[in-house]
Amino acid sequence: MRAPSRVLAAQWTTVVPVVAVVALIFSWGRDLPVLVVVLVALCLAGAVLAAVHHAEVIAHRVGEPFGSLVLAVAVTVIEVALIVTLMADGGSKYSSLARDTVFAAVMITCNGIVGLSLLVGAVRRGVAVFNAEGSGTALSAVAALATLTMVLPRFTKTPGPEFSGPQLAFAAIASLCLYGLFVAVQTVRHRDYFLPVTQEGEIQDEEGHAPPPGRRAALFSLGLLLVALIAVVGNAKAISPALESGVASAGLPHAVVGVVIALLVLLPETLAAVRAARRDRIQTSLNLGLGSAMASIGLTIPAIALASVWLSGPLLLGLGATHMVLLALTVAVGALTIVPGRATLMQGGIHLAIFAAFVFLAVSP
């Protein structure tokens, strides 16, 4: 029975990304009627599921933590392209888009993905177990990156919530250096800190329920992963005008658009993290969540800093008071969750409550 199911999975996960890209080509830059928006949204959802499948194929081939790193970086690179494209098209209208999207990504990953993964793991085993050394390293890097890039702009002498040119250059270089250092620690120096552990705290062996795919199959999945992610981000941009119109007609803040797009873009990582948690690989879920938060800051801010040379309008990076409180609460609760290396339903529920507060305050500030 496994062979037919594998053939079926290979067929639809190959066809759907291509169909989604075709839908992207025909919908790009056009005013879409409601029916077409629905069809594009369905293609987007299919591309998300295909991306998760191909990411898991690659992860099975290269092992952890390289598998989660591939998905996090791939999603973030294409997310950066989406932000730069929107900022170039919208000018000053999107001056705060980078900040809104990056902060939404931090809240989604550090509270939504982490909380949901801990909840799923605790429901299955009673206690979700992970490696405190690796997760603590990731959380400290997220806290430092978020503070340097999104909190400090509020406390400099530059008017408004933005950096001066030299300050922005420093923030960009510091972000790249911290992210590069983390990747080196995660993949080379202390790779064992980021491997899944058993209930007894021992490092799990690589999943042995099936042999890893061959090199050709892994490269094929890598190509389709990139195609699927381009389709996800591109189709999210294609339906963003309809989202903007809906948000405006509902009288909601413009920042809600950034939150919705971030939710769509991060769907592949969310689904992959939950599936890993269901297999009692909580560390993989945390690698995806915290690693995506780091990649979102460490790659987006330098790219936007470089793009600001030719982009018109201000680049607003400083968070408001409400968001700074949510960020501080996220870091404090995250530290208390990670230090023991074990979490129950309570910790998962707390993170999800913070995420719910973020979404609610985005809609009703």
Side-chain angles (χ1 to χ4, degrees):
M1 295 300 291
R2 280 189 177 183
S5 65
R6 287 180 182 174
V7 171
L8 181 61
Q11 289 176 345
W12 80 261
T13 54
T14 301
V15 172
V16 168
V18 177
V19 172
V21 169
V22 172
L24 170 61
I25 293 172
F26 283 101
S27 61
W28 188 264
R30 294 180 173 87
D31 293 329
L32 306 179
V34 176
L35 179 59
V36 177
V37 170
V38 173
L39 292 176
V40 172
L42 290 175
C43 290
L44 188 153
V48 166
L49 296 176
V52 173
H53 169 79
H54 292 298
E56 290 186 337
V57 171
I58 296 168
H60 193 45
R61 167 70 182 180
V62 301
E64 282 298 316
F66 299 99
S68 56
L69 183 65
V70 167
L71 181 57
V73 173
V75 168
T76 304
V77 168
I78 300 174
E79 179 186 347
V80 168
L82 172 61
I83 293 173
V84 172
T85 302
L86 289 174
M87 291 183 70
D89 293 342
S92 59
K93 177 183 176 183
Y94 288 105
S95 59
S96 64
L97 179 65
R99 176 197 65 194
D100 295 338
T101 306
V102 169
F103 183 70
V106 171
M107 290 294 104
I108 292 167
T109 53
C110 294
N111 289 311
I113 293 179
V114 169
L116 192 57
S117 300
L118 294 178
L119 198 67
V120 170
V123 165
R124 286 183 58 84
R125 293 291 186 180
V127 176
V129 179
F130 47 88
N131 196 318
E133 288 91 344
S135 301
T137 301
L139 180 63
S140 64
V142 171
L145 286 169
T147 303
L148 288 173
T149 58
M150 293 187 289
V151 175
L152 283 184
R154 282 287 182 182
F155 299 95
T156 64
K157 292 183 179 180
T158 306
E162 55 184 302
F163 280 134
S164 65
Q167 290 168 346
L168 182 59
F170 171 79
I173 294 172
S175 297
L176 272 178
C177 290
L178 281 177
Y179 183 68
L181 180 61
F182 174 80
V183 170
V185 169
Q186 184 186 32
T187 58
V188 181
R189 186 77 174 185
H190 297 289
R191 180 172 176 260
D192 55 321
Y193 287 180
F194 300 89
L195 297 177
V197 294
T198 64
Q199 291 289 319
E200 294 75 26
E202 299 177 354
I203 294 177
Q204 289 189 32
D205 295 329
E206 296 293 339
E207 293 178 288
H209 61 277
R215 183 172 178 270
R216 180 177 297 180
L219 289 175
F220 183 70
S221 284
L222 178 61
L224 284 176
L225 172 63
L226 295 177
V227 171
L229 291 175
I230 291 171
V232 169
V233 179
N235 285 320
K237 183 183 185 300
I239 65 175
S240 62
L243 289 174
E244 289 184 8
S245 300
V247 166
S249 62
L252 299 174
H254 187 264
V256 172
V257 176
V259 175
V260 173
I261 291 177
L263 286 168
L264 293 173
V265 170
L266 288 169
L267 262 179
E269 286 153 313
T270 303
L271 294 177
V274 171
R275 292 178 70 169
R278 290 179 61 187
R279 298 195 299 269
D280 298 324
R281 301 175 72 84
I282 304 300
Q283 186 61 51
T284 299
S285 302
L286 296 184
N287 290 346
L288 281 165
L290 298 175
S292 297
M294 253 182 300
S296 185
I297 305 172
L299 298 179
T300 300
I301 299 302
I304 297 300
L306 184 62
S308 65
V309 174
W310 71 83
L311 291 175
S312 60
L315 178 60
L316 306 181
L317 290 177
L319 297 173
T322 301
H323 285 170
M324 281 193 280
V325 170
L326 286 174
L327 178 61
L329 182 60
T330 297
V331 173
V333 170
L336 294 173
T337 297
I338 286 172
V339 166
R342 304 168 68 85
T344 65
L345 290 171
M346 189 66 194
Q347 280 84 7
I350 292 172
H351 282 281
L352 290 176
I354 298 172
F355 174 66
F358 162 71
V359 173
F360 176 77
L361 291 173
V363 174
S364 180

